[in-house]
Amino acid sequence: MKNAELLNNVLNVMVRYAKWFILVAVVAVLCSGIIFVQPDEVAIIVRLGKVVGDTPAEMIKQPGLHFAFPYVIDRVIKVPVGKVKEMAISTLYSPGELAYTTEYYGVGKYSNTLYSYGGDVGDMATTGYAITGDDNIILIDAVVKYKIKDALSYALNIENPDKTIEGIVTGVLAKCIRNSSVDSVLTDKKVMLAEQVTSESQAIFDDIGLGVQINNLEFKTVAPPLAVDEAFDNVITASIEKETMIQNANRYTETTLPAATAQAE
């Protein structure tokens, strides 16, 4: 008799708590449909595989509170359209052997040499690097900055947009470097190279409907591998000395020739 009463009490307690559990679960499911869109983003609601809304304006939910069905029915995609996103382009610059970069500020004047970790060009299976038009190996570490200009295209057209951006920019960068000399890449053509990569990458983005606008491309490191750094340093030094000698010769010509002409007259 006592066992029966104990079992009955246990069942009553379980039923009572089960009701509360079910109630909490129902409330949680209902609340999961309440979404808050931040000021720098928009949201897209996909209901059973179809975007909610008849026009692009209705499909894109602006910042504020919105309601969607529970997760099993609706999928909410938030797109940070107000942020400038950054992505590292380091496929052509893998961690490994020590490399160097020297920033020059004019003929004969340069800053301290900046050391960073580049790639070991001996291990081609695991190391990233680029080859210039004159068949030199170069290591490049860059950052691309971009904004999302079309939330629908960004969220729905490409399965993995960030990976696509990285792949396209890396490919265009490698191609542009292949069409450039090592001297131009290491010295005064970096800005032109960045502009070319940006322009060509943007054209591909627009062609595939990625919905992204590139702001700019910045080079963090452009350097030869450590194994050949001394040779590159000698070439750069010789180039600076050449420019210095040319300027000195021009100055000598500008001062001596007029004096000799005047004396002859």
Side-chain angles (χ1 to χ4, degrees):
M1 189 66 179
K2 290 182 178 180
N3 290 337
E5 291 180 356
L6 180 60
L7 179 60
N8 184 54
N9 291 336
V10 170
L11 290 174
N12 289 334
V13 171
M14 291 178 62
V15 170
R16 185 165 64 250
Y17 280 102
K19 292 179 180 179
W20 283 106
F21 178 79
I22 294 173
L23 179 61
V24 171
V26 170
V27 172
V29 170
L30 293 176
C31 290
S32 68
I34 300 175
I35 58 175
F36 181 72
V37 182
Q38 299 291 339
D40 58 354
E41 63 185 13
V42 297
I44 299 169
I45 301 175
V46 180
R47 180 167 300 157
L48 299 177
K50 183 180 179 181
V51 179
V52 176
D54 297 326
T55 64
E58 294 176 351
M59 294 177 181
I60 298 176
K61 310 303 178 186
Q62 299 299 324
L65 285 174
H66 299 275
F67 179 79
F69 288 116
Y71 179 74
V72 293
I73 300 175
D74 286 355
R75 180 167 65 97
V76 179
I77 305 173
K78 293 184 178 181
V79 184
V81 294
K83 293 182 179 179
V84 176
K85 302 186 71 177
E86 294 187 5
M87 175 175 295
I89 306 299
S90 55
T91 309
L92 306 177
Y93 183 87
S94 299
E97 188 179 344
L98 190 67
Y100 83 105
T101 301
T102 302
E103 297 181 353
Y104 291 89
Y105 295 102
V107 177
K109 298 180 180 179
Y110 56 90
S111 69
N112 293 329
T113 300
L114 308 176
Y115 289 91
S116 58
Y117 281 93
D120 181 0
V121 299
D123 187 5
M124 294 186 180
T126 60
T127 300
Y129 59 90
I131 299 179
T132 63
D134 46 3
D135 295 327
N136 283 283
I137 293 174
I138 203 77
L139 307 175
I140 293 190
D141 187 18
V143 174
V144 61
K145 298 181 180 180
Y146 63 94
K147 289 189 69 175
I148 300 169
K149 64 178 182 179
D150 188 335
L152 289 172
S153 297
Y154 180 84
L156 304 176
N157 285 358
I158 305 297
E159 184 176 354
N160 192 332
D162 290 342
K163 200 69 177 177
T164 301
I165 293 170
E166 181 184 14
I168 291 174
V169 175
T170 299
V172 172
L173 178 58
K175 188 203 78 171
C176 292
I177 292 173
R178 184 57 180 165
N179 294 330
S180 306
S181 67
V182 66
D183 291 338
S184 65
V185 173
L186 286 174
T187 55
D188 58 344
K189 297 298 189 295
K190 291 189 183 73
V191 174
M192 186 182 301
L193 176 63
E195 291 175 350
Q196 183 180 2
V197 173
T198 298
S199 176
E200 295 189 16
S201 298
Q202 186 64 58
I204 298 175
F205 291 169
D206 295 340
D207 187 54
I208 65 175
L210 189 57
V212 165
Q213 179 68 48
I214 298 180
N215 283 12
N216 67 316
L217 178 75
E218 297 177 358
F219 294 120
K220 296 173 60 179
T221 301
V222 180
L226 181 64
V228 294
D229 63 351
E230 184 177 357
F232 273 91
D233 198 22
N234 290 337
V235 171
I236 293 175
T237 301
S239 177
I240 293 174
E241 291 177 352
K242 172 187 173 183
E243 293 297 327
T244 302
M245 293 177 67
I246 290 174
Q247 289 191 9
N248 290 338
N250 289 336
R251 282 195 295 268
Y252 179 80
T253 301
E254 291 171 358
T255 56
T256 305
L257 185 58
T261 302
Q263 185 178 359
E265 291 177 353

